[in-house]
Amino acid sequence: MTKYNAMDIANYLIWLAKDKGKDITNLKLQKIFVNAKYLVDSKGAPLMDQKFERWAYGPVMYSVYSNFRSFGSQPITEPAGTYVYGSDNPLEAQFKKFDPNKIEDKVKKIAGDVFDALIDKNPFDLVDYTHSETIWSKYRDEIQKREAPDYENEELYKYFKSDSKARIWEP
């Protein structure tokens, strides 16, 4: 299984929102628990090559946040393209539009299930939910000081595996 860049997963969720006629904001994008479900389903194997950070509004993937911050609280209208840099000359880059076909079927299924379960929820209800998680709340003071450690995949896996009520994406 390929580890994905966080932007690949974010772009797929944005593509899915557009395909299904749904709005997705940067805040909501951060609260669609694809990584958590993937970790549970794959017995701890990581989906992405980056870690979520603990922020005041819950988990945030900084690279995704920064790519879409210009939308503010407005819906994100299109997946972001990426630049592919040449190995011979790092100054040469080619822009590529996001291609949903680069996402494996297993990941599409997990992302789609979580998307369907959470896309219509109020984003601030999802924020409140993340604040109730002990893996966030026990770092409240550090989060306010911007000193909280990043989430570790093993920590997320253990938390969501052991507590079925934490799996907000399940009916």
Side-chain angles (χ1 to χ4, degrees):
M1 166 56 217
T2 305
K3 271 199 220 178
Y4 290 90
N5 179 285
M7 281 299 296
D8 291 333
I9 303 304
N11 277 330
Y12 183 71
L13 292 170
I14 294 163
W15 178 87
L16 205 54
K18 187 175 179 179
D19 187 60
K20 293 185 175 208
K22 301 286 185 175
D23 286 341
I24 192 164
T25 62
N26 202 349
L27 180 62
K28 189 171 276 190
L29 184 60
Q30 301 290 337
K31 306 303 174 260
I32 303 286
F33 288 68
V34 174
N35 187 56
K37 180 169 175 29
Y38 186 87
L39 286 165
V40 171
D41 289 2
S42 66
K43 298 179 177 37
L47 173 62
M48 295 180 273
D49 60 3
Q50 296 157 291
K51 295 178 183 178
F52 280 89
E53 297 176 16
R54 287 179 173 92
W55 282 26
Y57 287 108
V60 171
M61 183 64 70
Y62 182 75
S63 62
V64 172
Y65 168 78
S66 62
N67 268 285
F68 296 110
R69 73 180 349 153
S70 65
F71 285 91
S73 62
Q74 297 302 306
I76 300 168
T77 54
E78 292 287 332
T82 56
Y83 285 94
V84 178
Y85 296 93
S87 58
D88 295 337
N89 182 352
L91 299 177
E92 288 182 11
Q94 181 180 20
F95 182 78
K96 294 201 176 213
K97 289 180 77 170
F98 173 71
D99 179 5
N101 294 316
K102 73 190 259 182
I103 307 296
E104 294 173 13
D105 288 343
K106 175 184 176 182
V107 175
K108 285 180 180 178
K109 170 82 170 103
I110 290 170
D113 289 348
V114 176
F115 178 91
D116 290 342
L118 301 179
I119 193 62
D120 292 325
K121 294 197 180 294
N122 180 301
F124 288 100
D125 290 343
L126 295 173
V127 168
D128 289 344
Y129 170 77
T130 65
H131 288 184
S132 71
E133 296 173 330
T134 56
I135 58 176
W136 185 91
S137 64
K138 71 181 177 182
Y139 292 99
R140 189 175 308 271
D141 292 340
E142 290 91 339
I143 290 166
Q144 288 181 347
K145 296 176 193 172
R146 296 184 179 165
E147 296 174 352
D150 294 344
Y151 287 91
E152 296 294 333
N153 282 323
E154 180 147 338
E155 164 190 35
L156 292 167
Y157 170 63
K158 287 179 181 177
Y159 178 79
F160 287 104
K161 180 180 179 256
S162 67
D163 186 354
S164 62
K165 291 179 185 171
R167 293 181 227 139
I168 191 172
W169 59 85
E170 291 182 349

